[in-house]
Amino acid sequence: MITVRAPATTANLGSGFDVFGAALACPADVVRVERADETTIDVTGAGGRFIPTDPEENTAGVVARELDTPAHIHIDKGVRPSSGLGSSAASAAGAAVALNELYDRGFSDEELVWAAAEGEAAVSGEAHADNVAPSILGGFTIVTDDGITQIDADLSVVACLPETVVSTRDARGVVPDSASMDDLVETVGNASTLVAGMHRDDPELVGRGLDDPVVTPARAKLIDGYDAVEEAARDAGATGVTVSGAGPSMLAVCRPETRRDVAKAMVAAFGEADVDARAYPTEIGDGAEIWR
Ligand code: HSE
């Protein structure tokens, strides 16, 4: 039996739509696998009852098929589904790392990312790797068709999860079909600033680099209280705020000493908008880890 802890992740980071991702030190899914003749799945934990246990409809089950590693897979969800925190990706990433170890397959981390992305494709219709890559590799990741670049980063963040649901389908539906040249220039500048900030572990640069004139303004409208929560986070010391993944979670970057205040301010501002929320004051963390 192999047990793996696979972290939640935040995709996009504003200016890196469908490209950037980062692992969060918490929360995480815990995936346990045992050899079996055919794959079966059971799920416990946060929102577990909403997750399909049919292996063909579950990201972890699809990964078992892709790697030809049939198993009984138990998933203990620490990452709520439809949170914008890479819930299905955490299960897929955890399963990929655990099954590779269980069957001693010897796949590289990058090969496991693409297998886990197939799991994502099965449930979302598109094979995004911007959540599975950081969940497996840890740190900050840049995913393009040509490959994956990973950077270890030491950065405090707050992920704030409201008790609401935004479907990825709706969130993708509001993404504009095109962008102006001015917006393109601004986005390239911000994304470049963000990458430099990750290299330097600099929350000011990363916070500034989160700004995105194209996708985030459209998606923010789907999140009740977004503007007030952003303002509250900035007033409490956040250096930048954006939508986490497809939402509804919001991500704030900050200095370690302001993290608790930023978290409290975000939860309070959601509360004033009549939305219950919880915050994870955390940091960019490691990738999936085998528990011995
Ligand atoms: N990059 C994706 C999006 C992440 O924002 O739609 C969610 O799968």
Short mmCIF file of all heavy atoms in Angstrom, two decimals, residues 43 53 221:
data_model
loop_
_atom_site.label_atom_id
_atom_site.label_comp_id
_atom_site.label_asym_id
_atom_site.label_seq_id
_atom_site.Cartn_x
_atom_site.Cartn_y
_atom_site.Cartn_z
N VAL A 43 -14.15 7.71 -1.76
CA VAL A 43 -13.75 9.09 -1.46
C VAL A 43 -14.35 9.52 -0.12
O VAL A 43 -15.54 9.29 0.13
CB VAL A 43 -14.28 10.05 -2.57
CG1 VAL A 43 -13.73 11.46 -2.35
CG2 VAL A 43 -13.92 9.56 -3.96
N THR A 53 -17.34 8.03 -8.18
CA THR A 53 -16.43 6.93 -7.86
C THR A 53 -16.25 5.99 -9.06
O THR A 53 -15.44 5.07 -9.00
CB THR A 53 -16.93 6.13 -6.64
OG1 THR A 53 -18.28 5.75 -6.89
CG2 THR A 53 -16.85 6.96 -5.37
N LYS A 221 -16.42 39.12 -11.78
CA LYS A 221 -17.87 39.40 -11.72
C LYS A 221 -18.67 38.17 -11.26
O LYS A 221 -19.82 38.30 -10.84
CB LYS A 221 -18.38 39.84 -13.10
CG LYS A 221 -17.80 41.15 -13.58
CD LYS A 221 -18.60 41.68 -14.77
CE LYS A 221 -18.05 43.01 -15.26
NZ LYS A 221 -17.02 42.87 -16.29
#
